[in-house]
Amino acid sequence: MSCRIALTSLLLLASCPLVGLAQPDSDFYLVPKTVPEFWRAARFELRTGSYERAAERIKGLLALNPDEKTLFDLAENPPVGGESGVTQFLKLRNIPRWNVNDKLNGEAKENVEKLISQVTTAVNNELKSEVRINRFIKALVGEQEESAYAIKELRRSGKAVVPLLCSILSNKPDDETRNAIFQAIPQLGDDTIPGFVAYLSIAEQPDQVELISCFQKRGDFREMVSRVQSDPVPTLLYLWGNPNSAATVKNAALRGATLWTLKDPTLSAKPEMRTAVGQLTAVAKGFLEGKPNPGSPTGNDMGTPTYQVWMPEGKTVKEVALSKSATFEYYGLRYARWVLELEPDNAAAQEIFLSIAIEGQANRTGGTLPLSKTAPQLNSVLSTASYSLLTSLLEDAMRNKKTAITLAVVRTLGERAELRAGKSEEIRVDGEKTKFRPSVLVKALDYPDPRVKFAAADALLKIPGEPTHGRTDEIMKLLMATLAADPPAGAKQKALYADPDPVRGNGISTVLQQSGYQTEVVNTGRELMKRIQQSTDVDFVVIDRHIVDPMLTDLLPQLRADLTAKTLPLFVVASAEGITPVNKLTALARLATIVAFQDLPDAPYREWPRNEAELRELRLLNNQMVAAVLGRYEAQVKRMTTMVQQAGFTLDDQTRNRISYLTLQTIPFVTLDSFAQNLLLEERLDAIKLLPPGVSDELAGQKIAQIRPRIATDETPSKPETENILNLMRTTNEAESALLADRLPRMNATWDSFWSKETPRLPAIVGVRHPDIEMAVARKIRGYNRVHVLPAVFTPAGLSEELVQLIDPKAPMVSPEERRDQAATAMNWFRKMARGEVLGYRVMQAEAQIRHALNSDELALIAIDTIVRMPSKTGQQDLATIATSDTRPAPIRIAAAEGLIRSVQTYGKFVTPEQIDALVVIAKTTEDADVKAKLNSVIGVLKPDAKVTGGLLKTYTPDLSAAPMKEKGPDPKEDPKDPEKKEPDPKEKM
């Protein structure tokens, strides 16, 4: 009996060693009060399988808001028998379910994640603490066991030890500390290597020798050259070639470079590569070409992968997160700068440095603005560089299609008006003339990027004297197209879409507008080519695969051979036979937008106030506005209902709710809020009814802005429904064609608001794909640059992703603001040609474009000054039209009247009798005195009439009661008396 009891006792002790030895069970049933007690209690509940009680303990622990020191101690000093570190907390994620109640289970999981996050942060912060790291650095000089433990803890701190160790070495510690540090460095983690490599270039020379030795003692020293951050070879080359380096440093650096590359630089087959300058130049060029390996990204900044780069800072180093392009820029400039330190006049290093710097600046700013605005210091270097360096830089950039560099150098040559850059070089073979080699600016004129083309033309025009390049006609065509592309204020970038089917074209045009682009539609390939030639305002082209006249296989080579079109990104839509419809919801939304701008019999169209300012300008009474809003809403719903039924749809509850909801989206919120708040309630009810099943309860209490994007979309339509959607699209297309032109801007703005990024009113459109057709189209476009395939129905997000792949980030699409600036530049050149300041160009070629510029208030004054110097009959008539237009600003009307007088006196009278009569009428009614005076002067030149003069004289009645103006004497301050001149005698005055 006693033996059985003893055996049972031993078994119990063996099965419960932790509870028996650590703490009695009774302690776990006491109410915990501190963080460690809560954690011990939670661990006990976990061991016993009571997950609900464990979740309560974790919740109680978090309620105490423990500080980081407490959480660090909790991780590093666990209860007896527990494991240390963050792992014990990470294992909490393995619990499949904490509570049978879904809500409490979710709360428990959130608490677990919160605890893990707080503990992880506390441990990481403590391990990176300077106080802790310094404590273990000092312990390196202790006993062997103490030193080994210090190294172990420093390894745990990771790369955070690097700046402190470098700082201590820079301050020249005692020999014992210095030796201990160099003994520890080979034993630290591989994440410390990039920091010590960065420190190598600024360390004291004895320390440089020791660091090189430390690197070679590491077991992973061969792997150091695999990533740019840890590669010591460029630094070793610099130390080897630096004349200020001691012999010991040079020898150690050369041996190290040989060891890592397995090649002795002094034995290179190429003589220029036997020096540090040649070797470093090759390394820097590799970064310009993007060859080195930066390793795997360690994070992201606004969606851009980032890499950790160590760089010197004072007497130590720091770590910075950079994008891949910025990482290459940093190292490329660093190594090119070292070459220039060793050999300041090295042309190759100068070219590499400038190339990397310009491309880096373009990566940050988009490559559109001139360097004089974005990087004045870099622009100063480029502006003062030698001509040979600039031409070499430009030739290399054009050969390698580096647009940012090409554009910067072309602009610089233009600002310097370099005569040599525009002069063709005569090539002779065996003393006989063979041909002319085009100048660098003429080559730039053929560069595919539109910005470079325009900059090259601008630069060639700045070169004084008669042009000798033989490209005057081409430059004139470029200036004319640029001036014709002058966009109005508020214009967007433009997409040109070609499709022989107007209904399908309207659907694709809709998606392009949702993507934020102004869209223009043509029906044939011939119209597409003609439109591209008219002006340079097209940013990219979309073509349906069914394009005709010519067909796709013949149109693609034409587009890529054309000087203007070959630079444009091109998309081919892989549409199915017939028309691929959009979903029903999108078709209804388009219909609602069109109906909102129609004149309906029950309620004529009117512009609703969109903001408080327009609301205050209303002249109608409140009850009249209420009736107008409600009446218009009912009329739009009625019209939509009729058109939907005519298309073949059954008018079910969902369709009715959609019609009501979409109609309300076309009326501005400020109008509804002021005059029809009951319709705002109706909008909310409609939106909730349109939510997918199961979502309405979740969003019932949310704001309307959160409900709108969750409205249910449509599945793939059936064949009968597809036919109905196509019928509706055709009807909508016909209605849109009949809209008045002045309503289109507001209609497009309303349509864009449905998919606004900030406050979307509908869910995003879902794309429709036909894989077999897409593969067939892909085979047709193979071999053509910057051409992609789009699905039959694509989404704005998908289009944006494709554009990112087609467009160089250093040379983005030309913005409307840039186009306006280019148009102004083109107009200025035409004025100089008309004045005779620029020779060799026939300005009359641009007569139509200059006349078109008269319509722009920004360009009108320059255009007027140009047109008056040209024998243009229609131009003179345009001046008369502007002078009599009461919608143009007074300064422009005055300039037009003055120009009209000059044109008539120079070239004769071309204005029509109707225009002369209009001048007489407008001159009488114009209130602006300056405009009236100029118009009368024009009348005197065009139609002097003695009877008219007599009639005017008879009506002239001066104001005789007005006092005469006193003649103002000279200002004594402006006309000081002569100090030497004596005051006259009073008698002389009399």
Side-chain angles (χ1 to χ4, degrees):
M1 181 70 179
S2 60
C3 292
R4 188 181 301 164
I5 293 173
L7 181 60
T8 303
S9 301
L10 288 173
L11 289 173
L12 286 172
L13 287 172
S15 62
C16 303
L18 297 179
V19 177
L21 296 176
Q23 196 172 5
D25 287 356
S26 59
D27 288 357
F28 292 103
Y29 292 102
L30 297 175
V31 177
K33 297 179 180 179
T34 65
V35 171
E37 290 175 357
F38 269 106
W39 180 235
R40 281 197 299 271
R43 286 173 56 82
F44 172 76
E45 302 296 351
L46 289 171
R47 286 198 302 271
T48 59
S50 180
Y51 298 136
E52 292 184 10
R53 289 179 60 82
E56 293 176 4
R57 300 307 188 195
I58 293 173
K59 182 178 180 181
L61 186 155
L62 292 172
L64 295 177
N65 292 321
D67 57 23
E68 290 191 349
K69 181 66 171 62
T70 302
L71 292 174
F72 179 77
D73 291 340
L74 201 64
E76 295 296 303
N77 304 304
V80 178
E83 59 182 327
S84 62
V86 183
T87 306
Q88 56 181 320
F89 298 93
L90 295 176
K91 288 182 178 180
L92 295 174
R93 289 174 174 163
N94 297 334
I95 306 299
R97 192 170 186 87
W98 293 88
N99 200 302
V100 293
N101 182 283
D102 289 340
K103 183 176 181 180
L104 295 177
N105 182 62
E107 181 184 2
K109 288 188 174 183
E110 289 180 6
N111 288 335
V112 166
E113 293 301 324
K114 185 177 181 181
L115 178 60
I116 292 173
S117 175
Q118 290 185 4
V119 171
T120 304
T121 302
V123 171
N124 288 338
N125 289 344
E126 181 63 22
L127 290 178
K128 295 176 183 178
S129 167
E130 291 189 12
V131 175
R132 183 178 185 276
I133 294 173
N134 280 322
R135 185 171 73 248
F136 288 113
I137 291 176
K138 292 177 181 178
L140 290 174
V141 296
E143 297 296 331
Q144 185 176 357
E145 294 80 4
E146 186 181 359
S147 174
Y149 180 73
I151 291 176
K152 177 185 175 183
E153 291 302 311
L154 290 176
R155 282 180 62 87
R156 290 187 65 198
S157 295
K159 58 189 177 182
V161 305
V162 175
L164 297 176
L165 288 173
C166 293
S167 179
I168 292 172
L169 289 173
S170 294
N171 291 321
K172 300 180 180 180
D174 57 81
D175 291 342
E176 188 179 15
T177 302
R178 180 175 178 274
N179 293 334
I181 290 175
F182 284 124
Q183 288 177 3
I185 288 177
Q187 303 178 61
L188 297 177
D190 58 0
D191 57 346
T192 63
I193 294 176
F196 288 122
V197 169
Y199 178 65
L200 179 60
S201 64
I202 62 170
E204 296 291 331
Q205 295 202 23
D207 293 346
Q208 290 174 336
V209 177
E210 290 291 346
L211 279 171
I212 296 171
S213 177
C214 287
F215 295 153
Q216 295 169 0
K217 290 177 183 177
R218 297 184 62 92
D220 57 355
F221 81 96
R222 286 286 183 197
E223 300 173 5
M224 291 176 63
V225 294
S226 63
R227 294 188 305 127
V228 297
Q229 296 92 331
S230 59
D231 185 4
V233 174
T235 307
L236 296 177
L237 293 172
Y238 171 66
L239 296 177
W240 167 50
N242 191 346
N244 297 323
S245 295
T248 54
V249 174
K250 288 188 175 185
N251 293 333
L254 180 58
R255 285 195 304 270
T258 304
L259 177 66
W260 267 292
T261 62
L262 302 178
K263 295 178 183 178
D264 186 345
T266 61
L267 302 178
S268 178
K270 298 179 180 179
E272 67 273 12
M273 298 299 289
R274 297 172 189 167
T275 64
V277 167
Q279 291 281 343
L280 275 174
T281 302
V283 172
K285 188 175 182 180
F287 283 94
L288 174 62
E289 297 170 350
K291 292 180 178 179
N293 174 30
S296 301
T298 56
N300 68 78
D301 181 16
M302 301 295 289
T304 302
T306 57
Y307 300 78
Q308 300 305 122
V309 175
W310 286 87
M311 53 185 66
E313 183 181 47
K315 293 185 176 182
T316 184
V317 291
K318 66 176 181 179
E319 188 182 35
V320 180
L322 300 176
S323 65
K324 184 176 181 179
S325 60
T327 299
F328 277 38
E329 180 185 5
Y330 169 74
Y331 284 110
L333 292 181
R334 188 184 192 201
Y335 300 149
R337 188 179 289 109
W338 282 351
V339 176
L340 296 174
E341 286 182 19
L342 302 178
E343 194 176 285
D345 59 346
N346 187 290
Q350 291 178 358
E351 184 176 331
I352 292 170
F353 191 101
L354 283 170
S355 298
I356 294 174
I358 293 170
E359 284 214 308
Q361 188 64 27
N363 273 321
R364 284 184 292 276
T365 61
T368 59
L369 296 173
L371 290 177
S372 57
K373 294 183 178 180
T374 61
Q377 184 180 4
L378 180 60
N379 183 68
S380 299
V381 176
L382 201 63
S383 299
T384 56
S386 66
Y387 176 73
S388 60
L389 175 60
L390 291 177
T391 52
S392 176
L393 185 62
L394 180 56
E395 293 275 10
D396 187 69
M398 287 192 293
R399 184 167 51 253
N400 295 303
K401 296 295 184 288
K402 292 186 174 292
T403 300
I405 303 172
T406 303
L407 181 60
V409 179
V410 168
R411 284 172 171 169
T412 299
L413 291 172
E415 291 301 318
R416 287 167 48 162
E418 280 285 355
L419 186 61
R420 291 168 290 181
K423 187 176 181 181
S424 299
E425 180 183 355
E426 186 177 321
I427 303 174
R428 293 178 178 271
V429 178
D430 298 330
E432 295 183 3
K433 185 174 74 171
T434 57
K435 61 179 180 178
F436 284 90
R437 176 186 296 167
S439 67
V440 288
L441 287 180
V442 171
K443 290 180 182 178
L445 201 60
D446 295 329
Y447 192 82
D449 186 84
R451 286 190 190 87
V452 175
K453 283 178 175 291
F454 187 82
D458 185 58
L460 287 168
L461 286 164
K462 289 177 179 177
I463 296 175
E466 286 273 0
T468 59
H469 45 71
R471 305 291 288 273
T472 54
D473 286 343
E474 186 176 335
I475 291 175
M476 283 296 297
K477 289 179 181 178
L478 179 60
L479 294 179
M480 290 157 58
T482 301
L483 187 56
D486 180 33
K492 303 176 182 178
Q493 290 173 318
K494 181 171 287 187
L496 185 59
Y497 177 62
D499 192 332
D501 190 290
V503 177
R504 183 173 53 214
N506 183 67
I508 297 296
S509 174
T510 295
V511 181
L512 291 171
Q513 291 175 23
Q514 291 172 22
S515 303
Y517 299 101
Q518 182 182 348
T519 308
E520 192 172 331
V521 182
V522 295
N523 300 119
T524 67
R526 191 183 301 276
E527 291 177 15
L528 177 70
M529 294 296 299
K530 183 178 179 180
R531 174 61 184 82
I532 291 174
Q533 295 297 326
Q534 285 177 353
S535 69
T536 61
D537 60 340
V538 177
D539 293 289
F540 65 94
V541 177
V542 182
I543 304 174
D544 187 85
R545 75 181 185 94
H546 296 93
I547 192 67
V548 295
D549 190 26
M551 299 179 69
L552 182 64
T553 51
D554 297 322
L555 180 60
L556 285 176
Q558 291 184 35
L559 285 167
R560 284 302 174 248
D562 184 80
L563 287 175
T564 303
K566 71 179 182 181
T567 65
L568 298 175
L570 177 61
F571 297 100
V572 179
V573 181
S575 61
E577 296 302 327
I579 303 172
T580 301
V582 297
N583 59 56
K584 180 182 175 183
L585 179 61
T586 305
L588 289 173
R590 187 65 179 177
L591 176 62
T593 309
I594 304 302
V595 169
F597 290 85
Q598 284 185 319
D599 287 310
L600 304 179
D602 301 333
Y605 166 78
R606 64 171 298 153
E607 292 188 2
W608 303 115
R610 294 165 293 182
N611 48 54
E612 295 296 334
E614 294 181 2
L615 199 63
R616 287 193 294 268
E617 293 178 0
L618 282 176
R619 297 293 183 267
L620 293 178
L621 298 176
N622 184 75
N623 58 346
Q624 293 176 317
M625 279 299 298
V626 170
V629 173
L630 294 176
R632 180 66 190 186
Y633 163 73
E634 293 172 358
Q636 288 181 216
V637 169
K638 182 178 179 182
R639 172 59 65 87
M640 277 194 68
T641 301
T642 301
M643 296 177 74
V644 167
Q645 288 177 316
Q646 289 174 350
F649 287 104
T650 302
L651 204 65
D652 54 17
D653 290 340
Q654 185 195 54
T655 303
R656 288 192 182 92
N657 290 334
R658 284 182 169 185
I659 291 173
S660 173
Y661 172 79
L662 294 169
T663 299
L664 290 171
Q665 305 313 305
T666 65
I667 304 176
F669 169 78
V670 69
T671 299
L672 294 175
D673 189 48
S674 301
F675 306 108
Q677 290 191 356
N678 60 314
L679 291 182
L680 291 177
L681 178 60
E682 179 70 22
E683 176 197 21
R684 182 181 183 83
L685 294 175
D686 289 336
I688 292 176
K689 291 177 183 177
L690 295 175
L691 291 172
V695 180
S696 56
D697 293 339
E698 175 190 344
L699 298 177
Q702 301 295 328
K703 295 180 178 179
I704 186 66
Q706 295 172 295
I707 299 176
R708 288 167 177 158
R710 301 288 298 276
I711 288 174
T713 55
D714 296 310
E715 301 294 334
T716 303
S718 61
K719 189 173 182 180
E721 191 174 32
T722 297
E723 187 61 35
N724 293 340
I725 294 174
L726 292 176
N727 291 336
L728 188 62
M729 291 173 63
R730 293 187 185 97
T731 305
T732 304
N733 189 53
E734 293 172 2
E736 182 178 358
S737 302
L739 284 182
L740 297 177
D742 60 344
R743 299 180 189 175
L744 294 179
R746 289 195 67 160
M747 186 271 290
N748 289 327
T750 302
W751 174 247
D752 292 341
S753 70
F754 279 80
W755 286 272
S756 165
K757 292 181 180 179
E758 293 77 18
T759 55
R761 299 168 182 268
L762 287 177
I765 294 177
V766 180
V768 178
R769 306 192 74 110
H770 300 286
D772 294 340
I773 298 176
E774 290 180 27
M775 291 179 62
V777 174
R779 287 193 292 269
K780 290 183 180 180
I781 68 173
R782 187 177 299 147
Y784 293 101
N785 294 326
R786 304 182 78 187
V787 183
H788 274 205
V789 180
L790 286 177
V793 174
F794 54 89
T795 64
L799 176 65
S800 299
E801 291 176 4
E802 296 291 337
L803 273 173
V804 168
Q805 299 180 47
L806 286 183
I807 296 173
D808 183 357
K810 298 183 287 296
M813 292 189 296
V814 181
S815 67
E817 292 74 18
E818 287 181 273
R819 294 194 190 282
R820 281 195 287 273
D821 291 341
Q822 290 180 350
T825 302
M827 191 62 251
N828 272 310
W829 282 120
F830 287 139
R831 176 167 63 174
K832 290 183 179 182
M833 293 174 191
R835 287 178 171 180
E837 298 174 14
V838 177
L839 306 177
Y841 294 87
R842 295 177 296 169
V843 70
M844 283 301 296
Q845 287 180 268
E847 178 188 7
Q849 289 75 22
I850 297 171
R851 289 178 53 222
H852 177 73
L854 291 170
N855 299 320
S856 167
D857 288 347
E858 290 77 15
L859 301 179
L861 294 177
I862 304 174
I864 289 170
D865 189 40
T866 305
I867 206 73
V868 298
R869 303 172 190 277
M870 300 165 57
S872 172
K873 175 181 177 181
T874 52
Q876 187 181 110
Q877 294 171 355
D878 289 341
L879 293 178
T881 301
I882 295 173
T884 57
S885 173
D886 57 359
T887 60
R888 302 299 295 272
I892 293 178
R893 295 180 67 187
I894 292 171
E898 292 176 344
L900 180 57
I901 293 172
R902 181 174 177 178
S903 177
V904 170
Q905 298 289 16
T906 305
Y907 303 110
K909 183 170 65 175
F910 298 122
V911 292
T912 64
E914 293 78 13
Q915 288 180 316
I916 297 175
D917 293 339
L919 279 167
V920 174
V921 174
I922 296 297
K924 293 179 180 179
T925 58
T926 297
E927 297 180 359
D928 189 294
D930 294 332
V931 174
K932 181 187 286 287
K934 288 298 177 183
L935 292 180
N936 284 326
S937 298
V938 173
I939 294 170
V941 172
L942 294 175
K943 190 180 180 181
D945 190 326
K947 292 183 178 180
V948 172
T949 303
L952 292 173
L953 288 175
K954 288 191 294 182
T955 59
Y956 173 69
T957 53
D959 186 4
L960 301 177
S961 63
M965 292 182 62
K966 295 182 179 181
E967 186 176 347
K968 186 177 179 181
D971 191 338
K973 294 182 180 179
E974 296 179 358
D975 187 21
K977 294 181 179 180
D978 188 349
E980 296 183 0
K981 188 175 181 181
K982 294 182 180 181
E983 196 67 30
D985 187 86
K987 294 182 180 179
E988 293 178 355
K989 286 183 179 181
M990 293 184 65

